[in-house]
Coordinates of all heavy atoms in Angstrom, one line a residue:
Y19 N 0.4 31.9 -21.2 CA -0.8 31.9 -20.4 C -1.3 30.5 -20.1 O -1.7 30.1 -19.1 CB -1.9 32.7 -21.1 CG -3.3 32.6 -20.4 CD1 -3.5 33.3 -19.3 CD2 -4.3 31.7 -21.0 CE1 -4.8 33.2 -18.7 CE2 -5.4 31.7 -20.3 CZ -5.7 32.4 -19.2 OH -7.0 32.3 -18.6
L22 N 0.9 28.7 -17.6 CA 0.7 29.2 -16.2 C -0.6 28.7 -15.7 O -0.7 28.3 -14.5 CB 0.7 30.8 -16.3 CG 0.5 31.4 -14.9 CD1 1.5 31.1 -13.9 CD2 0.5 33.0 -15.1
T23 N -1.7 28.7 -16.5 CA -3.0 28.3 -16.1 C -2.9 26.8 -15.7 O -3.5 26.3 -14.7 CB -4.0 28.5 -17.2 OG1 -4.0 29.9 -17.6 CG2 -5.4 28.0 -16.7
Y24 N -2.2 26.0 -16.5 CA -2.1 24.5 -16.3 C -1.4 24.3 -15.0 O -1.8 23.4 -14.2 CB -1.4 23.8 -17.4 CG -1.2 22.4 -17.2 CD1 -2.3 21.5 -17.4 CD2 0.0 21.9 -16.7 CE1 -2.1 20.2 -17.3 CE2 0.1 20.5 -16.5 CZ -0.9 19.7 -16.8 OH -0.8 18.3 -16.6
A25 N -0.3 25.1 -14.7 CA 0.4 24.9 -13.5 C -0.4 25.2 -12.3 O -0.4 24.5 -11.3 CB 1.8 25.7 -13.5
E26 N -1.1 26.3 -12.4 CA -2.0 26.8 -11.2 C -3.0 25.8 -10.9 O -3.5 25.7 -9.8 CB -2.5 28.1 -11.5 CG -1.5 29.2 -11.5 CD -2.1 30.6 -11.9 OE1 -3.2 30.6 -12.5 OE2 -1.5 31.6 -11.6
N27 N -3.5 25.0 -11.9 CA -4.7 24.1 -11.7 C -4.2 22.7 -11.7 O -5.1 21.8 -11.8 CB -5.7 24.3 -12.8 CG -6.4 25.7 -12.7 OD1 -7.3 25.9 -11.9 ND2 -6.0 26.6 -13.5
S28 N -3.0 22.3 -11.6 CA -2.5 21.0 -11.7 C -2.9 20.2 -10.5 O -3.0 18.9 -10.6 CB -1.0 21.0 -11.8 OG -0.4 21.6 -10.7
D29 N -3.2 20.8 -9.4 CA -3.7 20.1 -8.2 C -5.2 19.8 -8.2 O -5.7 19.1 -7.4 CB -3.3 20.9 -7.0 CG -3.5 20.1 -5.7 OD1 -3.2 18.9 -5.7 OD2 -3.9 20.7 -4.6
K30 N -5.9 20.5 -9.2 CA -7.3 20.2 -9.3 C -7.6 18.9 -10.1 O -6.8 18.5 -11.0 CB -8.0 21.4 -10.0 CG -7.9 22.7 -9.2 CD -8.6 23.8 -10.0 CE -8.5 25.1 -9.1 NZ -9.1 26.3 -9.9
T31 N -8.7 18.2 -9.8 CA -8.9 16.9 -10.4 C -9.9 17.1 -11.5 O -10.8 18.0 -11.6 CB -9.5 16.0 -9.4 OG1 -10.7 16.5 -8.9 CG2 -8.5 15.7 -8.3
K32 N -9.8 16.2 -12.5 CA -10.7 16.2 -13.7 C -11.9 15.3 -13.3 O -11.9 14.7 -12.3 CB -10.0 15.6 -14.9 CG -8.7 16.4 -15.3 CD -8.1 15.7 -16.5 CE -6.9 16.5 -17.0 NZ -6.2 15.8 -18.1
D33 N -12.9 15.4 -14.2 CA -14.1 14.5 -13.9 C -13.7 13.1 -14.0 O -12.7 12.7 -14.7 CB -15.1 14.8 -15.0 CG -15.8 16.2 -14.9 OD1 -15.7 16.8 -13.7 OD2 -16.2 16.7 -15.9
K34 N -14.4 12.2 -13.3 CA -14.1 10.8 -13.3 C -14.2 10.2 -14.7 O -15.1 10.6 -15.4 CB -15.1 10.1 -12.4 CG -14.5 9.8 -11.0 CD -15.5 9.0 -10.2 CE -14.9 8.9 -8.8 NZ -15.9 8.2 -7.9
D131 N -1.4 6.4 -8.6 CA -2.8 6.1 -8.8 C -3.0 5.0 -9.9 O -2.2 5.1 -10.9 CB -3.6 7.3 -9.2 CG -3.7 8.4 -8.2 OD1 -3.6 8.1 -7.0 OD2 -3.8 9.6 -8.5
E162 N 0.9 15.1 3.3 CA 0.4 15.8 2.1 C -0.2 14.9 1.0 O -1.2 15.2 0.3 CB 1.5 16.6 1.4 CG 1.2 17.4 0.3 CD 0.2 18.5 0.4 OE1 -0.1 18.8 1.5 OE2 -0.4 19.0 -0.6
R165 N -3.7 13.8 2.1 CA -4.6 14.9 2.0 C -5.1 15.1 0.5 O -6.2 15.3 0.2 CB -3.9 16.2 2.4 CG -4.8 17.4 2.4 CD -4.0 18.8 2.5 NE -3.2 19.0 1.4 CZ -3.7 19.5 0.3 NH1 -4.9 19.8 0.1 NH2 -2.8 19.8 -0.7
R166 N -4.1 15.0 -0.4 CA -4.5 15.2 -1.9 C -5.3 14.0 -2.3 O -6.3 14.2 -3.1 CB -3.2 15.3 -2.7 CG -2.4 16.6 -2.5 CD -1.4 16.8 -3.5 NE -0.6 18.0 -3.4 CZ 0.0 18.6 -4.3 NH1 0.0 18.1 -5.6 NH2 0.7 19.7 -4.1
A167 N -5.0 12.9 -2.0 CA -5.8 11.7 -2.4 C -7.2 11.7 -1.9 O -8.1 11.4 -2.6 CB -5.1 10.4 -1.9
S169 N -8.9 14.3 -1.3 CA -9.7 15.4 -1.9 C -9.8 15.2 -3.4 O -10.6 15.9 -4.1 CB -9.0 16.7 -1.6 OG -7.8 16.8 -2.2
N170 N -9.3 14.1 -3.9 CA -9.4 13.8 -5.3 C -10.6 13.0 -5.6 O -10.7 11.8 -5.2 CB -8.1 12.9 -5.7 CG -8.0 12.7 -7.2 OD1 -9.0 12.9 -7.9 ND2 -6.8 12.3 -7.7
K171 N -11.5 13.6 -6.3 CA -12.8 12.9 -6.6 C -12.7 11.7 -7.5 O -13.7 11.0 -7.7 CB -13.8 14.0 -7.1 CG -13.5 14.6 -8.5 CD -14.6 15.6 -8.8 CE -14.2 16.3 -10.1 NZ -15.2 17.3 -10.5
N172 N -11.5 11.6 -8.2 CA -11.4 10.4 -9.0 C -11.0 9.1 -8.2 O -10.9 8.1 -8.7 CB -10.2 10.7 -10.1 CG -10.6 11.7 -11.0 OD1 -11.8 12.0 -11.2 ND2 -9.6 12.4 -11.6
I173 N -10.6 9.4 -6.9 CA -10.2 8.2 -6.1 C -11.3 7.7 -5.1 O -11.9 8.5 -4.4 CB -9.0 8.7 -5.2 CG1 -7.8 9.1 -6.2 CG2 -8.5 7.6 -4.3 CD1 -7.3 8.0 -7.1

Side-chain angles (χ1 to χ4, degrees):
Y19 173 76
L22 179 59
T23 303
Y24 180 80
E26 288 176 345
N27 292 282
S28 60
D29 193 34
K30 295 181 180 179
T31 59
K32 299 179 181 179
D33 292 336
K34 262 185 188 176
D131 295 335
E162 177 63 15
R165 183 193 68 79
R166 291 193 180 204
S169 63
N170 186 344
K171 62 183 179 181
N172 294 339
I173 297 300

